[in-house]
Amino acid sequence: MRRSKAFIPTTKEAPSDAVLASHIFLSRAGFISQVASGLYSYMPLAKKVIRKIENVIHEEMANVGAQEVELSFVAPSDLWIESGRIDKFGKELLRFYDRKEKLFVLGPTHEEMMVDLVRNRITSYKNLPLNLYQIKTKFRDEVRPRFGLMRGREFIMKDGYSFHASVEDLDREFNALEDAYKRIIKRLGLDFRVVEADSGAIGGTGSKELMVLADSGEDTIAVCDKCEYGANIEVFMDMEELGEDFDASSVSDIKELKGDDNCPHCDGKLSLTKGIEVGHIFKLGTTYSKALKAEFLDEEGKSKPFIMGTYGMGVSRLVAAVIEQHHDENGCIWTKETAPYTINIMISNVKDEAQNTLGEELYLKLLGENIEVMIDDRKDRFGFKMKDAELIGFPFTVIIGKELENGIVQIFNRATREKISVPSGEIYKKIMELI
Amino acid sequence: MRRSKAFIPTTKEAPSDAVLASHIFLSRAGFISQVASGLYSYMPLAKKVIRKIENVIHEEMANVGAQEVELSFVAPSDLWIESGRIDKFGKELLRFYDRKEKLFVLGPTHEEMMVDLVRNRITSYKNLPLNLYQIKTKFRDEVRPRFGLMRGREFIMKDGYSFHASVEDLDREFNALEDAYKRIIKRLGLDFRVVEADSGAIGGTGSKELMVLADSGEDTIAVCDKCEYGANIEVFMDMEELGEDFDASSVSDIKELKGDDNCPHCDGKLSLTKGIEVGHIFKLGTTYSKALKAEFLDEEGKSKPFIMGTYGMGVSRLVAAVIEQHHDENGCIWTKETAPYTINIMISNVKDEAQNTLGEELYLKLLGENIEVMIDDRKDRFGFKMKDAELIGFPFTVIIGKELENGIVQIFNRATREKISVPSGEIYKKIMELI
């Protein structure tokens, strides 16, 4: 992409209510645009990041045999009445009447819709297990939308649901999905912990959250310094967030955890850290299948409700989480796997023919190799363009400047802010080594 | 994909209100599931078709330099008040209040949102032209949703908007987009006509529709038997559909066209045929930019409203249009470019070891070549499985049956319903020739 043609409206102004780095820098660097409280539009750079995250999710979902569907966003309220959640969800569930005075909701999550899709279509244990997922816009009318993409009202979520004939099979799938989720977050280049999430989970495995570690995280988690153990100590907040019943027994668990720093799994010590919840996997059991009478015939011909799991991942929240974990005072620092463009070719002075020629040659060569490359061909000053590049956060910027007279170009590493000098003839080879 | 694991709930039952082939077969073959009037969920096969269509659109949009964005689905009513469309759009525009009693709408189209995104961000002629697009769910509260995906309330649309400093530049972009739209529909394997759409357009170029030719089409179009000329004679219906002002002058144009069968561009004769509108490109001019005060500075430093074009394409409608143009009494006939799977390997008798071995070998080999392949490994009877394959509409089914004893397998061509016999050792080579 040519920077001169790209719609990347960078600005010095941050939104007045922005306190988080991701909110500030995604706005300033021209990734997102606020439409109303908790509503954002994604500009081309954000759309590219989202697409990259989605592709990783699609690949890992295919690996575990999950099949992609897309459920309607506007959902009939009947299903929510059937499940009993229409009241439990409260005002976060946005409701409205259509022109024929029928009540609908905007899907904040899709358990009911997915159960409805499968019931009467899968009727035998022979066609189980089944794992369906979608990546789709969701809406929750949050009372206090905040932190940019971190807690918006409209957001992009990957939600998946599995259907099983036995608890053992759900356990197997749950573990497979936990592994898949770990692979996704790892591939995106993020430091994370899988933490046990609800009361039963302290020592159990029924509900786990994927936490991207960042000081700005809303969740406080206890992590062991020896083993992989981690637990969310703000279970009650999550419960509220997920619209599930609050389990009073969890309170004592939290207290226990707070008062005791011994790991329950090994002889390590627990310490507290902050995390951003980007994924939540949960063994639903038969809650929804019973409520919605979604049943199959087992091997003995007996009718039984599906045993279900649910697997959510916040796609738009992940965009913010990358920046919360990877930024400095100059702007975004995208990981290689999430960067909208891996390489930025900076022509310092576009009036210089040699600089232009080398820049254009390199640009076309990288394009030909399907490398995501931007060329900054604008007439603006070098200093301005470099600040812009740092704000956007390209992993590598190739600086073609005055040193070219001596046959030298530079590669600026956004994460380390180091510049290395490379003979211009070796620049392509060097780039291929780096990426 | 293994058919035994795939969520493809085929059925003999068609929805009671289904009259169109696409509605009947997409439902029966397990592509779509009705959620409520005009609301559908996409099951895995439909999702794959949609993805293929989207990929073609993305490629052709990149070719013309259009950049992808994603605007929020829930939109503040302010923008619609500003443009004056809140009243004009009528009840098709779904409105609701959020928990703070602010009025919002569900985006039925995104002119206002896109102008809002660009205004104050593009301020100079130097940064024009700009062409932004998205592929996004839309909602129109149709008074009479019908025909399955053809006229739903929630649907997937590609909508694009271009911004220019001059009318000449809009003309250039409009022509480029017309060409891109033609390439898209052609690549999908569809017969189509570009027709002139509104009053000014008879002899002009301000509004064009892409019509997929099909007997079931809602639009009647006049086409020339000699040149490429075509025109929609049901302009008033379209006007209504697009929520634009009805132009009384178009009525006389329609009458003229109906009474006269001479082509206005050559000495050919016009005849009437039916089409499904899958695309509409339109020169908006300054209608929205004036209403929303979206301006740029021209070369002389004077403030001017953007000159705009808009380019829509119905993605979910295209799924239905393929089937309207390509089906028979047995079911869907996907074109190669839209098929969810190009090749279906049919193991006639899964208990036969030789059949199984060859089927599995071929399956893995095709998978390795990134060919979209299904293997029907179910224990059901051959006749049942073949009917199922015809209903779904795989372009080619490789039948591995009894003839394998004589070293022969067959390839069933869904479109022609011909079977050709191929020595089993040559099957891979033959498939590669066909696809």
Side-chain angles (χ1 to χ4, degrees):
Chain A
M1 187 80 206
R2 291 182 182 281
R3 187 67 174 83
S4 60
K5 308 270 187 196
F7 183 56
I8 308 174
T10 54
T11 167
K12 285 181 182 172
E13 308 287 320
S16 57
D17 63 330
V19 288
L20 290 196
S22 64
H23 190 182
I24 294 169
F25 291 133
L26 291 173
S27 301
R28 286 192 49 209
F31 285 72
I32 59 173
S33 167
Q34 187 169 14
V35 173
S37 174
L39 298 180
Y40 289 87
S41 288
Y42 306 106
M43 292 192 274
L45 287 182
K47 196 64 199 166
K48 282 186 79 76
V49 175
I50 290 167
R51 175 95 58 222
K52 291 182 86 164
I53 295 172
E54 287 177 348
N55 285 345
V56 172
I57 293 174
H58 287 312
E59 283 176 25
E60 295 297 342
M61 287 303 106
N63 280 343
V64 293
Q67 298 174 64
E68 192 188 7
V69 299
E70 183 175 344
L71 305 178
S72 76
F73 184 29
V74 171
S77 59
D78 319 12
L79 289 172
W80 287 75
I81 293 165
E82 220 178 320
S83 75
R85 278 214 290 187
I86 190 125
D87 296 323
K88 280 188 200 164
F89 227 91
K91 285 197 171 175
E92 270 186 33
L93 182 68
L94 195 130
R95 302 136 209 244
F96 57 85
Y97 290 93
D98 72 356
R99 68 193 292 161
K100 285 168 186 161
E101 301 297 327
K102 282 203 73 167
L103 185 64
F104 286 85
V105 305
L106 286 188
T109 171
H110 274 119
E111 281 80 4
E112 287 86 350
M113 298 271 296
M114 199 64 94
V115 171
D116 184 52
L117 186 73
V118 169
R119 67 176 167 182
N120 305 322
R121 288 202 170 101
I122 297 289
T123 52
S124 163
Y125 74 95
K126 288 178 195 161
N127 298 315
L128 295 174
L130 179 66
N131 192 332
L132 302 176
Y133 79 100
Q134 65 174 345
I135 296 179
K136 179 94 177 178
T137 299
K138 303 273 187 293
F139 192 90
R140 291 183 194 176
D141 203 358
E142 294 270 355
V143 62
R144 206 158 63 88
R146 58 197 184 278
F147 304 147
L149 296 189
M150 202 65 86
R151 193 171 289 277
R153 294 198 287 174
E154 185 173 314
F155 55 96
I156 303 170
M157 189 170 149
K158 177 264 167 188
D159 50 325
Y161 309 86
S162 67
F163 299 80
H164 307 272
S166 72
V167 171
E168 293 70 31
D169 198 52
L170 169 60
D171 289 344
R172 177 201 51 73
E173 190 83 0
F174 186 86
N175 291 338
L177 265 289
E178 180 179 339
D179 288 344
Y181 268 40
K182 283 183 186 171
R183 281 195 301 272
I184 291 166
I185 306 299
K186 199 169 182 178
R187 283 179 63 181
L188 298 179
L190 296 171
D191 280 339
F192 68 98
R193 278 270 181 151
V194 178
V195 305
E196 293 173 356
D198 76 359
S199 64
I202 298 189
T205 54
S207 174
K208 291 189 176 182
E209 292 168 337
L210 267 90
M211 292 284 177
V212 168
L213 303 182
D215 293 338
S216 60
E218 283 194 278
D219 290 272
T220 303
I221 56 179
V223 294
C224 176
D225 59 1
K226 275 201 174 171
C227 76
E228 277 200 336
Y229 179 79
N232 192 336
I233 67 158
E234 282 173 340
V235 177
F236 49 96
M237 277 185 59
D238 279 12
M239 286 289 166
E240 195 187 39
E241 181 191 328
L242 290 162
E244 281 151 10
D245 289 334
F246 174 58
D247 182 354
S249 68
S250 59
V251 177
S252 56
D253 290 325
I254 294 160
K255 281 188 190 145
E256 259 178 56
L257 196 59
K258 279 183 176 164
D260 174 8
D261 63 354
N262 293 321
C263 176
H265 286 209
C266 74
D267 61 351
K269 290 283 171 197
L270 298 181
S271 65
L272 297 182
T273 184
K274 291 282 182 182
I276 299 165
E277 184 198 331
V278 296
H280 190 176
I281 60 176
F282 195 84
K283 292 181 185 173
L284 283 175
T286 56
T287 313
Y288 292 90
S289 49
K290 270 186 182 162
L292 293 160
K293 296 188 187 60
E295 300 182 334
F296 67 96
L297 292 178
D298 72 6
E299 287 186 57
E300 283 139 35
K302 271 174 61 181
S303 235
K304 284 190 177 167
F306 294 112
I307 297 165
M308 291 178 59
T310 180
Y311 316 96
M313 184 170 277
V315 176
S316 44
R317 184 180 280 186
L318 268 167
V319 177
V322 175
I323 298 310
E324 288 307 321
Q325 198 174 77
H326 298 278
H327 68 271
D328 62 17
E329 68 277 17
N330 302 305
C332 306
I333 304 175
W334 295 99
T335 62
K336 283 184 207 173
E337 302 77 3
T338 57
Y341 295 89
T342 320
I343 303 289
N344 179 41
I345 300 171
M346 172 76 67
I347 303 176
S348 304
N349 176 6
V350 290
K351 289 178 189 159
D352 183 301
E353 205 183 307
Q355 289 183 21
N356 252 326
T357 305
L358 178 62
E360 292 287 340
E361 265 179 28
L362 184 61
Y363 176 61
L364 293 177
K365 191 157 184 177
L366 293 174
L367 272 188
E369 297 289 329
N370 278 323
I371 290 161
E372 290 163 313
V373 58
M374 175 78 80
I375 182 166
D376 198 336
D377 55 350
R378 294 175 298 172
K379 288 176 189 157
D380 302 279
R381 282 182 308 104
F382 173 70
F384 168 83
K385 295 204 291 188
M386 271 310 287
K387 270 200 175 158
D388 215 43
E390 285 215 65
L391 178 62
I392 292 168
F394 306 103
F396 301 103
T397 293
V398 178
I399 302 170
I400 304 177
K402 274 195 181 154
E403 285 290 300
L404 183 60
E405 288 171 16
N406 308 317
I408 297 293
V409 296
Q410 289 177 306
I411 298 179
F412 174 74
N413 180 322
R414 178 65 185 87
T416 62
R417 304 195 78 228
E418 285 171 351
K419 283 180 193 166
I420 54 167
S421 291
V422 180
S424 61
E426 290 170 25
I427 183 66
Y428 174 75
K429 203 183 96 200
K430 188 70 195 169
I431 288 171
M432 298 311 272
E433 280 169 28
L434 285 171
I435 63 175
Chain B
M1 188 79 206
R2 292 181 181 281
R3 187 67 175 83
S4 60
K5 308 269 187 198
F7 184 55
I8 309 174
T10 54
T11 167
K12 285 181 181 170
E13 309 285 320
S16 56
D17 64 330
V19 289
L20 289 197
S22 63
H23 190 181
I24 294 168
F25 292 133
L26 291 173
S27 301
R28 284 193 50 209
F31 284 72
I32 59 173
S33 167
Q34 187 169 14
V35 172
S37 174
L39 298 180
Y40 290 87
S41 287
Y42 306 106
M43 292 192 274
L45 287 182
K47 196 64 199 165
K48 282 186 79 76
V49 175
I50 290 167
R51 176 95 57 223
K52 291 183 86 163
I53 294 172
E54 287 178 347
N55 286 345
V56 171
I57 292 173
H58 287 310
E59 283 176 25
E60 295 297 341
M61 286 303 105
N63 280 343
V64 293
Q67 298 174 63
E68 193 188 7
V69 299
E70 184 176 344
L71 305 178
S72 76
F73 184 28
V74 170
S77 60
D78 318 11
L79 289 171
W80 287 75
I81 293 166
E82 219 177 323
S83 75
R85 278 214 291 187
I86 190 127
D87 296 321
K88 280 188 199 165
F89 228 90
K91 286 197 172 176
E92 270 187 33
L93 182 69
L94 195 131
R95 301 136 211 247
F96 58 85
Y97 289 93
D98 72 357
R99 68 194 293 163
K100 285 168 186 162
E101 301 298 328
K102 281 203 72 165
L103 185 64
F104 286 84
V105 305
L106 285 188
T109 172
H110 275 119
E111 281 80 5
E112 286 87 351
M113 298 270 295
M114 198 65 93
V115 171
D116 184 52
L117 185 73
V118 169
R119 67 175 167 182
N120 305 324
R121 287 202 170 100
I122 296 290
T123 52
S124 164
Y125 74 96
K126 288 179 194 160
N127 297 317
L128 294 174
L130 180 66
N131 192 332
L132 302 175
Y133 79 100
Q134 64 174 344
I135 296 179
K136 179 95 177 178
T137 299
K138 304 272 187 294
F139 192 89
R140 290 183 194 176
D141 203 357
E142 294 270 355
V143 63
R144 206 158 62 88
R146 57 196 184 280
F147 305 148
L149 297 190
M150 202 64 86
R151 193 170 289 277
R153 294 198 287 174
E154 185 173 314
F155 55 96
I156 303 170
M157 190 169 150
K158 176 264 165 188
D159 50 325
Y161 309 86
S162 68
F163 300 79
H164 308 271
S166 72
V167 170
E168 294 69 33
D169 197 52
L170 168 61
D171 289 345
R172 177 201 52 71
E173 190 85 359
F174 185 86
N175 292 337
L177 266 289
E178 180 180 339
D179 288 344
Y181 269 42
K182 284 182 186 171
R183 281 195 300 271
I184 291 166
I185 307 299
K186 199 170 182 177
R187 283 180 63 181
L188 298 179
L190 297 171
D191 280 338
F192 68 98
R193 280 271 181 150
V194 178
V195 305
E196 293 174 353
D198 76 0
S199 64
I202 297 189
T205 55
S207 175
K208 291 190 175 182
E209 292 168 338
L210 266 91
M211 292 285 176
V212 168
L213 303 182
D215 294 339
S216 60
E218 283 194 278
D219 290 272
T220 303
I221 55 179
V223 294
C224 177
D225 59 2
K226 276 202 172 170
C227 76
E228 278 200 336
Y229 179 79
N232 193 336
I233 67 158
E234 282 172 341
V235 176
F236 49 95
M237 278 184 59
D238 279 14
M239 286 289 167
E240 194 187 39
E241 182 191 328
L242 292 162
E244 280 151 12
D245 288 336
F246 174 59
D247 181 354
S249 67
S250 59
V251 177
S252 56
D253 291 326
I254 294 159
K255 281 188 190 148
E256 260 178 55
L257 197 59
K258 279 183 175 163
D260 176 8
D261 64 352
N262 293 321
C263 176
H265 286 211
C266 75
D267 61 350
K269 291 282 170 197
L270 299 180
S271 65
L272 297 181
T273 185
K274 291 282 183 182
I276 298 164
E277 184 198 332
V278 296
H280 191 176
I281 59 176
F282 194 84
K283 293 181 186 173
L284 284 176
T286 56
T287 312
Y288 292 91
S289 50
K290 271 187 182 161
L292 293 160
K293 295 189 188 58
E295 300 183 333
F296 67 97
L297 293 178
D298 72 5
E299 286 186 54
E300 283 138 35
K302 271 174 61 181
S303 235
K304 283 190 177 169
F306 293 112
I307 297 165
M308 291 178 60
T310 179
Y311 316 95
M313 185 170 277
V315 176
S316 44
R317 184 181 279 186
L318 268 167
V319 177
V322 174
I323 298 310
E324 288 307 321
Q325 197 175 78
H326 299 279
H327 68 271
D328 62 17
E329 68 277 17
N330 302 305
C332 306
I333 305 176
W334 296 99
T335 62
K336 282 183 208 174
E337 302 78 3
T338 57
Y341 294 90
T342 320
I343 302 289
N344 179 41
I345 300 171
M346 172 76 66
I347 303 177
S348 303
N349 176 6
V350 290
K351 289 178 189 158
D352 183 299
E353 204 182 309
Q355 288 183 22
N356 252 325
T357 305
L358 178 61
E360 293 287 341
E361 264 179 30
L362 183 61
Y363 176 62
L364 293 178
K365 191 156 183 177
L366 293 175
L367 271 188
E369 296 290 329
N370 279 323
I371 288 161
E372 289 163 314
V373 57
M374 175 78 79
I375 182 165
D376 198 337
D377 55 349
R378 294 176 298 172
K379 288 175 188 159
D380 302 280
R381 282 182 308 104
F382 172 69
F384 169 82
K385 295 204 290 187
M386 270 310 287
K387 270 199 175 160
D388 214 44
E390 285 214 66
L391 178 61
I392 292 168
F394 306 103
F396 301 104
T397 293
V398 178
I399 302 170
I400 303 177
K402 273 195 182 155
E403 284 291 298
L404 183 59
E405 289 170 14
N406 308 316
I408 297 294
V409 295
Q410 289 177 305
I411 299 178
F412 174 74
N413 180 322
R414 178 64 185 89
T416 62
R417 304 195 76 228
E418 285 171 352
K419 283 180 194 167
I420 54 167
S421 292
V422 181
S424 61
E426 290 170 27
I427 184 66
Y428 174 75
K429 203 183 95 201
K430 188 69 194 169
I431 289 170
M432 298 309 272
E433 280 169 27
L434 284 170
I435 63 176

